[in-house]
Amino acid sequence: MKISIMTLFPAMFEGFCNTSIIKRAQEKGLVDIECIDMRDFALDRFKHVDDTPYGGGSGMILKCQVVIDCLNSIRTSRSHVVLTAPIGKIFKQAKAHEFKKYEHLIIICGHYEGIDARVYDYVDELISIGDYVLTGGELAAMVMADATIRLLKGSIDEQSSADESFENGLLEYPQYTKPSDYDGKKVPEVLLSGHHKNIEEYRMKMSLKTTWENRPDLLEKIELSPKQQALLAQIKEENK
């Protein structure tokens, strides 16, 4: 898979591309990440990439010419183009699964006050990572790229990925490691028992409990199995 990130600040991605899972995925040949500086496509010698908005108003708007010329230099018939924008659909785990299937993913980082709306006609979709304001789309691009790359086969242990929050519509169960007793706070006995069936049921119950307590809205979006329904009823009864 290839991920091309169009940005005004390529230096922001140096740490992102050269640490942890992202670095290892590149070393394994699972993903090729490139950052393209959109300033290189400015037409004047001062490399101006934005200008004042027509109709007046505060801030500067990223020029469509700069973005589109940059995009045309890397886009192919197999590219899927995403623009980070507050008006876009909210990025979720299902979208990361969709992104991982593309041979070439292009992410255009949004800009300060905005981007010339004519750019919208040249992209496949608009994506937002949440209802808040960022300085630019660089952080959003990192979030989407990270969530996508870790799903590529070989990036991380497949079972580890399957157990993570949102993969099955629920939040992940609490995790523990050594020591088993720290400052009087003990790891649940069932996790030390070695009884795999009991551990599996405990984790299912705790996943449901964690979701019910912190994100009950998620429970409305999935169909629980009879076993999960029984465990959830038990959780609610215990917490009356």
Side-chain angles (χ1 to χ4, degrees):
M1 179 185 193
K2 182 175 183 178
I3 299 179
S4 299
I5 300 173
M6 293 170 46
T7 174
L8 296 177
F9 305 101
M12 288 183 65
F13 292 88
E14 291 177 3
F16 171 76
C17 292
N18 291 290
T19 54
S20 190
I21 291 172
I22 307 303
K23 179 181 180 180
R24 293 197 296 272
Q26 293 177 92
E27 291 173 343
K28 291 179 179 180
L30 303 176
V31 64
D32 175 22
I33 304 175
E34 67 172 352
C35 292
I36 301 102
D37 191 342
M38 289 190 284
R39 292 183 190 278
D40 292 340
F41 295 83
L43 299 179
D44 67 295
R45 63 192 181 95
F46 297 107
K47 298 294 183 181
H48 288 140
V49 296
D50 50 15
D51 208 334
T52 55
Y54 279 121
S58 61
M60 302 287 281
I61 306 301
L62 186 57
K63 296 179 179 181
C64 60
Q65 169 271 315
V66 172
V67 179
I68 295 168
D69 282 358
C70 180
L71 177 59
N72 287 338
S73 74
I74 59 173
R75 186 176 199 166
T76 72
S77 59
R78 297 181 178 179
S79 302
H80 184 78
V81 185
V82 175
L83 170 64
T84 65
I87 66 172
K89 294 181 180 179
I90 298 297
F91 182 76
K92 295 184 179 181
Q93 188 71 1
K95 182 60 69 173
H97 277 282
E98 182 181 322
F99 281 176
K100 76 174 183 180
K101 299 176 183 178
Y102 294 117
E103 181 178 317
H104 185 204
L105 179 65
I106 299 175
I107 304 176
I108 304 173
C109 298
H111 174 67
Y112 308 140
E113 292 297 329
I115 188 169
D116 190 308
R118 287 170 287 189
V119 171
Y120 299 167
D121 295 333
Y122 294 80
V123 306
D124 295 305
E125 59 182 323
L126 308 176
I127 297 290
S128 169
I129 62 168
D131 298 335
Y132 42 84
V133 180
L134 296 173
T135 300
E138 282 70 23
L139 293 177
M142 291 181 202
V143 167
M144 291 188 286
D146 183 279
T148 300
I149 292 168
R150 62 188 293 111
L151 292 176
L152 298 177
K153 188 172 183 180
S155 288
I156 61 175
D157 178 79
E158 289 188 39
Q159 185 55 49
S160 176
S161 176
D163 288 340
E164 290 180 330
S165 292
F166 305 113
E167 278 299 326
N168 60 2
L170 301 172
L171 298 181
E172 189 177 9
Y173 47 79
Q175 297 270 35
Y176 304 88
T177 188
K178 300 177 181 64
S180 60
D181 186 336
Y182 179 76
D183 196 26
K185 302 180 186 300
K186 299 182 178 181
V187 173
E189 286 293 331
V190 64
L191 298 179
L192 308 176
S193 68
H195 195 298
H196 297 300
K197 185 176 180 179
N198 288 349
I199 291 174
E200 182 180 353
E201 181 170 320
Y202 169 80
R203 285 177 168 171
M204 181 187 295
K205 181 177 179 179
M206 293 308 297
S207 177
L208 287 162
K209 185 174 188 292
T210 301
T211 305
W212 179 63
E213 291 179 340
N214 297 279
R215 289 290 306 278
D217 58 296
L218 295 176
L219 294 171
E220 300 173 3
K221 302 174 183 178
I222 61 173
E223 184 175 348
L224 298 178
S225 68
K227 177 67 174 179
Q228 289 174 320
Q229 292 176 15
L231 286 173
L232 183 58
Q234 183 180 337
I235 291 166
K236 293 179 178 179
E237 184 64 28
E238 291 171 352
N239 286 270
K240 279 186 177 180

